[in-house]
Amino acid sequence: MKTVQGKVAAITGAGSGIGRATAKLLARKGCHVAISDVNEQGLAETEALCRQSGVKVLSSRVDVAQRAEVEAWAAQVARELGGVHIIINNAGVALGATIEDMRYEDFEWLMNINFWGVVHGTKAFLPHLKAAGDGHIVNISSVFGLIGVPMQGAYNAAKFAVKGFTEALRQELEIEGLPIGVTSVHPGGIKTNIARNARITMRKGWADEQSNSDFEKAFATSPEVAAENILQAILKNRRRQLIGTDAVVIDLVQRALPTLYQTLLVAGARWRRQKLLNKDG
Protein backbone atom coordinates (compact mmCIF):
# COMPACT_ATOMS: atom_id res chain seq x y z
CA MET A 1 0.00 0.00 0.00
CA LYS A 2 1.66 3.21 -1.18
CA THR A 3 -0.68 5.66 0.53
CA VAL A 4 -3.54 5.67 3.04
CA GLN A 5 -5.18 8.75 1.54
CA GLY A 6 -8.71 7.94 0.46
CA LYS A 7 -8.54 4.47 2.03
CA VAL A 8 -10.75 3.13 4.84
CA ALA A 9 -9.20 1.86 8.08
CA ALA A 10 -10.95 0.06 10.94
CA ILE A 11 -9.34 0.29 14.37
CA THR A 12 -10.33 -1.57 17.55
CA GLY A 13 -9.55 -0.23 21.00
CA ALA A 14 -9.68 3.31 19.60
CA GLY A 15 -11.02 4.95 22.74
CA SER A 16 -7.53 5.71 24.06
CA GLY A 17 -3.83 4.98 23.76
CA ILE A 18 -2.35 3.50 20.60
CA GLY A 19 -5.78 3.05 19.01
CA ARG A 20 -6.71 6.70 19.41
CA ALA A 21 -3.30 7.98 18.27
CA THR A 22 -3.38 5.75 15.19
CA ALA A 23 -6.92 6.80 14.27
CA LYS A 24 -5.96 10.48 14.57
CA LEU A 25 -2.82 10.03 12.48
CA LEU A 26 -4.61 8.12 9.72
CA ALA A 27 -7.36 10.75 9.64
CA ARG A 28 -4.76 13.52 9.26
CA LYS A 29 -3.32 11.57 6.32
CA GLY A 30 -6.72 11.61 4.60
CA CYS A 31 -7.79 8.10 5.54
CA HIS A 32 -11.43 7.50 6.47
CA VAL A 33 -11.68 5.72 9.82
CA ALA A 34 -14.06 3.31 11.50
CA ILE A 35 -13.32 3.23 15.22
CA SER A 36 -14.57 0.90 17.93
CA ASP A 37 -14.19 0.35 21.65
CA VAL A 38 -16.27 -0.63 24.68
CA ASN A 39 -15.33 2.70 26.30
CA GLU A 40 -18.04 4.89 24.81
CA GLN A 41 -16.81 8.15 26.38
CA GLY A 42 -13.28 7.63 25.09
CA LEU A 43 -14.65 6.58 21.71
CA ALA A 44 -16.69 9.80 21.43
CA GLU A 45 -13.57 11.84 22.21
CA THR A 46 -11.59 10.02 19.53
CA GLU A 47 -14.41 10.50 17.04
CA ALA A 48 -14.42 14.28 17.65
CA LEU A 49 -10.65 14.46 17.19
CA CYS A 50 -10.75 12.50 13.92
CA ARG A 51 -13.59 14.58 12.49
CA GLN A 52 -11.35 17.66 12.71
CA SER A 53 -9.42 16.23 9.73
CA GLY A 54 -12.49 16.32 7.49
CA VAL A 55 -12.58 12.59 6.75
CA LYS A 56 -15.49 10.18 7.15
CA VAL A 57 -15.69 8.74 10.67
CA LEU A 58 -17.82 5.82 11.78
CA SER A 59 -17.88 5.20 15.53
CA SER A 60 -19.31 2.00 17.02
CA ARG A 61 -19.38 0.33 20.40
CA VAL A 62 -17.97 -3.14 19.76
CA ASP A 63 -16.84 -5.84 22.18
CA VAL A 64 -14.13 -7.67 20.23
CA ALA A 65 -14.60 -10.73 22.43
CA GLN A 66 -18.02 -11.19 20.80
CA ARG A 67 -17.61 -12.64 17.31
CA ALA A 68 -21.11 -11.66 16.18
CA GLU A 69 -20.52 -8.02 17.14
CA VAL A 70 -17.24 -7.87 15.21
CA GLU A 71 -18.77 -9.50 12.14
CA ALA A 72 -21.72 -7.09 12.19
CA TRP A 73 -19.32 -4.16 12.58
CA ALA A 74 -17.20 -5.28 9.63
CA ALA A 75 -20.29 -5.49 7.42
CA GLN A 76 -21.42 -2.07 8.62
CA VAL A 77 -18.06 -0.46 7.88
CA ALA A 78 -17.93 -1.90 4.37
CA ARG A 79 -21.52 -0.86 3.71
CA GLU A 80 -21.40 2.68 5.10
CA LEU A 81 -17.86 3.65 4.09
CA GLY A 82 -17.83 1.86 0.74
CA GLY A 83 -15.25 -0.80 1.58
CA VAL A 84 -12.36 -1.51 3.94
CA HIS A 85 -8.62 -1.49 3.20
CA ILE A 86 -7.00 -1.68 6.66
CA ILE A 87 -7.89 -3.45 9.89
CA ILE A 88 -5.87 -2.70 13.01
CA ASN A 89 -6.63 -5.21 15.77
CA ASN A 90 -5.45 -3.18 18.72
CA ALA A 91 -7.91 -3.72 21.59
CA GLY A 92 -6.24 -5.24 24.62
CA VAL A 93 -6.31 -5.67 28.40
CA ALA A 94 -3.79 -6.74 31.03
CA LEU A 95 -3.74 -9.21 33.90
CA GLY A 96 -1.10 -9.45 36.60
CA ALA A 97 -1.10 -12.77 38.45
CA THR A 98 1.01 -15.84 38.97
CA ILE A 99 -0.25 -18.87 37.06
CA GLU A 100 -1.01 -20.56 40.40
CA ASP A 101 -3.15 -17.64 41.57
CA MET A 102 -4.75 -16.80 38.24
CA ARG A 103 -8.52 -17.31 38.16
CA TYR A 104 -9.83 -19.11 35.09
CA GLU A 105 -12.42 -16.34 34.68
CA ASP A 106 -9.69 -13.70 34.42
CA PHE A 107 -7.59 -15.83 32.06
CA GLU A 108 -10.59 -16.34 29.77
CA TRP A 109 -11.45 -12.62 29.93
CA LEU A 110 -7.97 -11.69 28.73
CA MET A 111 -7.74 -14.37 26.05
CA ASN A 112 -11.18 -13.48 24.67
CA ILE A 113 -10.03 -9.90 24.08
CA ASN A 114 -6.30 -10.11 23.40
CA PHE A 115 -6.30 -13.26 21.27
CA TRP A 116 -9.84 -14.03 20.12
CA GLY A 117 -10.45 -10.33 19.48
CA VAL A 118 -7.58 -10.42 16.97
CA VAL A 119 -8.93 -13.59 15.38
CA HIS A 120 -12.45 -12.15 15.14
CA GLY A 121 -11.20 -8.90 13.60
CA THR A 122 -8.94 -10.66 11.13
CA LYS A 123 -11.50 -13.15 9.90
CA ALA A 124 -14.39 -10.66 9.80
CA PHE A 125 -12.49 -8.06 7.76
CA LEU A 126 -10.38 -10.28 5.51
CA PRO A 127 -13.15 -10.85 2.92
CA HIS A 128 -13.67 -7.07 2.70
CA LEU A 129 -9.93 -6.44 2.22
CA LYS A 130 -9.87 -9.04 -0.54
CA ALA A 131 -12.87 -7.36 -2.20
CA ALA A 132 -11.08 -3.99 -2.03
CA GLY A 133 -8.11 -5.46 -3.90
CA ASP A 134 -5.56 -3.66 -1.72
CA GLY A 135 -5.28 -4.08 2.01
CA HIS A 136 -3.29 -4.47 5.18
CA ILE A 137 -3.87 -6.27 8.48
CA VAL A 138 -2.12 -5.01 11.60
CA ASN A 139 -2.25 -7.23 14.68
CA ILE A 140 -0.90 -5.82 17.92
CA SER A 141 1.21 -8.34 19.83
CA SER A 142 3.79 -7.09 22.36
CA VAL A 143 7.37 -7.51 23.50
CA PHE A 144 5.68 -9.97 25.85
CA GLY A 145 4.96 -11.91 22.66
CA LEU A 146 8.75 -12.31 22.34
CA ILE A 147 9.74 -13.15 25.94
CA GLY A 148 8.03 -14.80 28.89
CA VAL A 149 7.73 -12.71 32.07
CA PRO A 150 6.73 -13.63 35.64
CA MET A 151 3.19 -12.52 36.59
CA GLN A 152 2.33 -12.16 32.89
CA GLY A 153 1.55 -15.76 31.96
CA ALA A 154 -1.90 -14.99 30.51
CA TYR A 155 -0.68 -11.92 28.64
CA ASN A 156 2.32 -13.89 27.32
CA ALA A 157 0.03 -16.68 26.14
CA ALA A 158 -2.19 -14.28 24.22
CA LYS A 159 0.58 -12.21 22.69
CA PHE A 160 2.70 -15.21 21.65
CA ALA A 161 -0.46 -16.61 20.05
CA VAL A 162 -1.09 -13.36 18.17
CA LYS A 163 2.47 -13.45 16.81
CA GLY A 164 2.16 -17.02 15.52
CA PHE A 165 -1.32 -16.47 14.12
CA THR A 166 -0.22 -13.31 12.30
CA GLU A 167 2.94 -14.81 10.82
CA ALA A 168 1.01 -17.84 9.53
CA LEU A 169 -1.63 -15.56 7.99
CA ARG A 170 1.00 -13.46 6.21
CA GLN A 171 2.55 -16.54 4.66
CA GLU A 172 -0.80 -17.94 3.52
CA LEU A 173 -1.73 -14.69 1.77
CA GLU A 174 1.69 -14.54 0.11
CA ILE A 175 1.31 -18.11 -1.14
CA GLU A 176 -1.98 -17.12 -2.77
CA GLY A 177 -0.39 -13.97 -4.22
CA LEU A 178 -3.01 -11.71 -2.66
CA PRO A 179 -2.27 -7.96 -2.39
CA ILE A 180 -2.81 -7.85 1.36
CA GLY A 181 0.04 -7.10 3.75
CA VAL A 182 0.14 -8.39 7.31
CA THR A 183 2.20 -6.98 10.18
CA SER A 184 2.78 -8.29 13.68
CA VAL A 185 3.44 -5.28 15.94
CA HIS A 186 5.48 -5.61 19.13
CA PRO A 187 5.32 -2.49 21.31
CA GLY A 188 7.52 -2.07 24.35
CA GLY A 189 6.34 0.16 27.18
CA ILE A 190 3.81 2.61 25.74
CA LYS A 191 2.36 5.43 27.85
CA THR A 192 -1.24 4.19 27.92
CA ASN A 193 -3.76 3.21 30.60
CA ILE A 194 -3.42 -0.55 30.08
CA ALA A 195 -1.47 -1.16 33.30
CA ARG A 196 -3.69 1.20 35.30
CA ASN A 197 -6.79 -0.69 34.14
CA ALA A 198 -5.28 -4.16 34.57
CA ARG A 199 -6.74 -6.83 36.77
CA ILE A 200 -4.09 -7.74 39.33
CA THR A 201 -4.05 -10.46 41.97
CA MET A 202 -2.55 -9.22 45.21
CA ARG A 203 -0.19 -11.70 46.86
CA LYS A 204 2.47 -11.09 49.47
CA GLY A 205 5.88 -10.93 47.84
CA TRP A 206 4.41 -10.77 44.32
CA ALA A 207 2.16 -7.72 43.96
CA ASP A 208 0.69 -4.92 46.03
CA GLU A 209 -1.27 -1.70 45.48
CA GLN A 210 1.85 0.02 44.14
CA SER A 211 2.68 -2.61 41.51
CA ASN A 212 0.74 -1.09 38.60
CA SER A 213 2.22 2.38 39.04
CA ASP A 214 5.71 0.90 39.43
CA PHE A 215 5.21 -0.99 36.16
CA GLU A 216 4.05 2.19 34.40
CA LYS A 217 7.30 3.96 35.26
CA ALA A 218 9.04 1.80 32.64
CA PHE A 219 6.75 3.05 29.88
CA ALA A 220 8.90 5.36 27.74
CA THR A 221 7.24 5.60 24.31
CA SER A 222 4.27 7.81 23.48
CA PRO A 223 1.17 6.50 21.67
CA GLU A 224 1.89 9.04 18.91
CA VAL A 225 5.30 7.49 18.22
CA ALA A 226 3.66 4.06 18.19
CA ALA A 227 1.12 5.31 15.64
CA GLU A 228 3.86 6.64 13.36
CA ASN A 229 5.59 3.25 13.52
CA ILE A 230 2.37 1.45 12.64
CA LEU A 231 1.75 3.74 9.67
CA GLN A 232 5.26 3.14 8.35
CA ALA A 233 4.80 -0.62 8.79
CA ILE A 234 1.70 -0.42 6.60
CA LEU A 235 3.28 1.76 3.91
CA LYS A 236 6.47 -0.35 3.79
CA ASN A 237 4.62 -3.65 4.14
CA ARG A 238 6.75 -4.86 7.03
CA ARG A 239 6.28 -8.34 8.41
CA ARG A 240 7.14 -7.23 11.92
CA GLN A 241 7.33 -3.86 13.67
CA LEU A 242 9.10 -3.27 16.98
CA ILE A 243 8.08 -0.10 18.80
CA GLY A 244 10.39 1.62 21.28
CA THR A 245 14.06 1.30 22.17
CA ASP A 246 13.11 -1.17 24.90
CA ALA A 247 11.46 -3.41 22.31
CA VAL A 248 14.58 -3.38 20.16
CA VAL A 249 16.80 -4.24 23.16
CA ILE A 250 14.47 -7.01 24.36
CA ASP A 251 14.37 -8.52 20.87
CA LEU A 252 18.17 -8.49 20.62
CA VAL A 253 18.62 -10.00 24.09
CA GLN A 254 16.08 -12.73 23.39
CA ARG A 255 17.78 -13.68 20.14
CA ALA A 256 21.30 -13.57 21.59
CA LEU A 257 20.40 -15.22 24.93
CA PRO A 258 17.25 -17.27 24.25
CA THR A 259 17.36 -19.05 27.63
CA LEU A 260 19.79 -16.95 29.69
CA TYR A 261 17.37 -13.98 29.55
CA GLN A 262 15.06 -16.04 31.78
CA THR A 263 17.80 -16.37 34.40
CA LEU A 264 18.25 -12.59 34.34
CA LEU A 265 14.50 -12.04 34.78
CA VAL A 266 14.39 -14.51 37.65
CA ALA A 267 17.23 -12.66 39.41
CA GLY A 268 15.44 -9.34 39.01
CA ALA A 269 12.11 -10.78 40.14
CA ARG A 270 13.69 -12.37 43.21
CA TRP A 271 15.22 -9.02 44.18
CA ARG A 272 11.84 -7.30 43.80
CA ARG A 273 10.07 -10.10 45.68
CA GLN A 274 12.43 -9.72 48.62
CA LYS A 275 11.90 -5.97 48.55
CA LEU A 276 8.13 -6.47 48.73
CA LEU A 277 8.45 -9.02 51.54
CA ASN A 278 10.61 -6.62 53.55
CA LYS A 279 8.13 -3.82 52.87
CA ASP A 280 5.22 -5.93 54.11
CA GLY A 281 7.17 -7.00 57.15
Side-chain angles (χ1 to χ4, degrees):
M1 187 175 292
K2 302 302 182 184
T3 180
V4 296
Q5 186 172 6
K7 306 291 187 181
V8 175
I11 305 136
T12 68
S16 63
I18 293 175
R20 172 179 289 180
T22 304
K24 286 169 54 184
L25 176 61
L26 290 173
R28 287 201 305 271
K29 298 295 183 180
C31 183
H32 308 298
V33 293
I35 55 175
S36 73
D37 206 307
V38 293
N39 175 4
E40 294 183 85
Q41 180 179 341
L43 195 60
E45 293 169 358
T46 303
E47 178 184 3
L49 292 167
C50 290
R51 289 195 183 281
Q52 294 175 6
S53 296
V55 298
K56 297 176 185 176
V57 181
L58 178 63
S59 178
S60 309
R61 186 195 184 282
V62 177
D63 180 355
V64 298
Q66 304 300 318
R67 185 175 71 187
E69 288 190 25
V70 179
E71 290 175 344
W73 178 52
Q76 179 192 16
V77 174
R79 183 175 63 252
E80 296 191 19
L81 297 184
V84 193
H85 304 88
I86 301 166
I87 171 64
I88 300 173
N89 292 303
N90 163 75
V93 293
L95 170 64
T98 66
I99 291 172
E100 180 182 4
D101 290 338
M102 189 188 305
R103 298 191 313 147
Y104 278 104
E105 295 85 353
D106 289 337
F107 198 171
E108 290 168 357
W109 165 75
L110 182 142
M111 291 297 292
N112 285 339
I113 296 168
N114 289 13
F115 175 64
W116 281 108
V118 170
V119 174
H120 295 157
T122 297
K123 288 183 66 64
F125 280 92
L126 181 55
H128 299 293
L129 269 60
K130 291 174 71 174
D134 181 27
H136 204 99
I137 297 169
V138 176
N139 291 337
I140 307 297
S141 178
S142 168
V143 289
F144 287 0
L146 303 175
I147 61 169
V149 180
M151 292 284 290
Q152 295 295 321
Y155 197 79
N156 284 145
K159 296 303 186 177
F160 269 79
V162 167
K163 177 180 181 289
F165 173 82
T166 304
E167 291 180 359
L169 173 66
R170 167 101 185 200
Q171 293 170 59
E172 291 169 0
L173 296 178
E174 287 181 340
I175 290 167
E176 291 191 54
L178 295 172
I180 300 172
V182 183
T183 303
S184 179
V185 177
H186 299 268
I190 310 297
K191 296 177 182 177
T192 70
N193 295 327
I194 190 168
R196 200 171 310 158
N197 296 331
R199 294 184 183 181
I200 186 165
T201 300
M202 302 300 175
R203 182 180 177 189
K204 188 174 181 179
W206 285 99
D208 61 13
E209 293 77 6
Q210 191 67 26
S211 295
N212 279 2
S213 58
D214 288 346
F215 192 53
E216 282 186 335
K217 291 176 183 177
F219 295 176
T221 305
S222 72
E224 289 73 24
V225 169
E228 289 282 358
N229 277 260
I230 290 169
L231 175 58
Q232 289 306 307
I234 293 170
L235 295 177
K236 296 181 180 180
N237 195 21
R238 293 173 180 159
R239 294 176 183 273
R240 187 179 73 158
Q241 179 66 54
L242 301 172
I243 298 179
T245 302
D246 52 348
V248 174
V249 171
I250 287 170
D251 179 54
L252 289 173
V253 170
Q254 188 279 329
R255 285 199 267 178
L257 309 169
T259 57
L260 182 57
Y261 87 82
Q262 297 178 37
T263 302
L264 298 175
L265 285 176
V266 167
R270 279 178 173 163
W271 174 83
R272 186 176 186 280
R273 177 170 164 76
Q274 190 59 52
K275 185 178 177 182
L276 285 173
L277 288 171
N278 292 338
K279 175 182 174 183
D280 294 339

